[in-house]
Amino acid sequence: MLLVVLGAGGYAAWYVASPLDAKLPAEVEIPPGAGFRAAVGQLERAGVKVRPYHFEALARVLRRERDVKAGNYLLLAPLTPMDLLDKLTRGDVTQAEVRLIEGWTFSQFRTVLDSSPDLRHDTAGLEDAAILARIHATETHPEGLFFPDTYLFAKGSSDVNVLRRAYRAMQRHLQTEWDARTPNVPYRTPYEALIMASIIEKETGRAAERDQIGGVLVNRLRIGMRLQVDPTVIYGLGTTFDGNLKKIHLLEDGPYNTYTRAGLPPTPIAMPGLPSLRSAVRPGKTDALYYVSRGDGTSQFSRSIQEHNRAVTKYQLRGGR
């Protein structure tokens, strides 16, 4: 059925009163600041065929084209254009959230997604490679590919949607930081910078030292010195690690053992946040090649092995005395 809606100035907007053609369930994300046409574009991409010209005319006649609310919408049942317009302008979203923490591994992220009662668990039982295929990722290993943030979603949304959003967010942030990198940083690709960012994330005990730690690790990489960082070894041990890193672990060769192998490990070891991405591509300027924990969350930085050995003796062997 066609319905004529008369608006101010004698304009008329025609729209189909029968339910819209849509692939259900449809998940639609309207980002903050999006105008009406951008919101319509999001609906179309989600498989909701709104007939953009008619839908915009309806909104203009009702003077509601500026009232669309940002948020995540889940469409479970067929809607008429008027129903859909009402939903978008009321901000009729039923939102829940999951939080991805800086320094988490992909395994930890999956555990949180799997335990959420508000998500539809479409990745349950899937291998990591299958999940990457679902979100159209080009990489073959999932570690480090998802940006740490709080993700809001409509209850009943697919966990694939959350994963896809976190993946795209990391791609955006990584490319932005890569484009603003310091000249001559020792990485061939943005992915190598992501690997370093993940190491910085795990190595930083105090945020104020992040850039300096980044500077030390980049200095080592530049001169071919082994990175010698414990978190890469721990990551390589996987589920066999019991919380006690032993000397034998540092001596056992493996792709993630930066004590036995020069250069970066093959993949990130965690999900780095934005500050660590920035420290990787714009590291602090320092002559230091070493650092050791003082035991209070801060580090003692040294330029030579002699200085470093004295710091180790003071802070590790004598407890700071």
Side-chain angles (χ1 to χ4, degrees):
M1 178 177 85
L2 295 180
L3 178 66
V4 181
V5 180
L6 296 177
Y11 291 103
W14 295 78
Y15 72 98
V16 179
S18 57
L20 293 164
D21 180 19
K23 296 178 180 178
L24 301 176
E27 298 173 29
V28 184
E29 179 185 2
I30 309 298
F36 189 85
R37 290 184 180 178
V40 168
Q42 292 292 93
L43 288 164
E44 291 277 312
R45 280 188 285 275
V48 183
K49 307 303 181 184
V50 295
R51 297 188 180 184
Y53 175 81
H54 296 85
F55 195 54
E56 183 173 356
L58 171 64
R60 288 186 179 278
V61 166
L62 297 177
R63 299 181 179 180
R64 296 167 71 180
E65 74 274 14
R66 298 181 183 274
D67 297 337
V68 172
K69 306 294 193 299
N72 294 279
Y73 295 83
L74 180 64
L75 310 183
L76 296 173
L79 298 173
T80 67
M82 182 63 77
D83 292 335
L84 180 58
L85 184 62
D86 285 343
K87 188 177 186 70
L88 295 176
T89 54
R90 287 197 311 267
D92 185 13
V93 294
T94 305
Q95 290 190 323
E97 66 177 46
V98 290
R99 190 178 177 204
L100 171 57
I101 307 296
E102 293 89 343
W104 272 5
T105 63
F106 182 63
S107 176
Q108 289 173 297
F109 187 23
R110 282 199 70 176
T111 297
V112 168
L113 290 180
D114 291 345
S115 65
S116 172
D118 299 313
L119 283 170
R120 191 171 72 247
H121 300 290
D122 293 335
T123 66
L126 293 183
E127 299 290 337
D128 290 348
I131 292 175
L132 292 179
R134 285 277 188 98
I135 64 173
H136 306 296
T138 57
E139 297 83 359
T140 58
H141 193 280
E143 203 65 79
L145 301 182
F146 302 89
F147 188 71
D149 205 347
T150 298
Y151 292 93
L152 300 176
F153 56 89
K155 290 184 178 180
S157 295
S158 172
D159 54 1
V160 174
N161 186 48
V162 176
L163 285 160
R164 186 181 295 115
R165 289 168 58 199
Y167 173 76
R168 290 175 177 173
M170 181 59 85
Q171 294 297 301
R172 289 195 304 271
H173 286 297
L174 179 58
Q175 189 61 54
T176 297
E177 297 309 317
W178 178 255
D179 291 343
R181 67 191 183 278
T182 299
N184 301 320
V185 286
Y187 317 119
R188 294 168 295 179
T189 64
Y191 188 71
E192 288 189 350
L194 181 64
I195 294 172
M196 178 63 86
S198 74
I199 296 173
I200 294 170
E201 186 69 58
K202 298 298 288 185
E203 278 287 272
T204 301
R206 183 162 294 186
E209 295 182 346
R210 196 184 311 271
D211 288 350
Q212 195 169 3
I213 287 175
V216 170
L217 295 176
V218 166
N219 285 347
R220 292 180 183 177
L221 198 59
R222 280 198 178 106
I223 64 175
M225 178 179 171
R226 293 172 185 172
L227 293 180
Q228 297 182 321
V229 286
D230 293 352
T232 63
V233 180
I234 292 170
Y235 183 82
L237 292 172
T239 57
T240 66
F241 181 62
D242 63 1
N244 182 22
L245 188 64
K246 302 173 183 177
K247 186 176 181 179
I248 191 173
H249 295 143
L250 306 182
L251 298 175
E252 291 176 345
D253 185 41
Y256 291 91
N257 191 336
T258 51
Y259 284 86
T260 61
R261 298 192 184 191
L264 294 165
T267 73
I269 60 171
M271 316 288 181
L274 189 55
S276 292
L277 286 174
R278 290 174 175 167
S279 293
V281 298
R282 297 194 295 278
K285 293 182 179 180
T286 178
D287 294 329
L289 286 172
Y290 305 91
Y291 55 91
V292 64
S293 173
R294 293 192 180 103
D296 61 358
T298 66
S299 301
Q300 178 68 37
F301 294 86
S302 304
R303 291 175 295 179
S304 69
I305 188 62
Q306 292 81 11
E307 290 179 18
H308 178 62
N309 287 338
R310 288 195 292 271
V312 169
T313 298
K314 179 177 180 180
Y315 294 106
Q316 298 292 309
L317 301 181
R318 296 180 182 173
R321 296 190 297 275

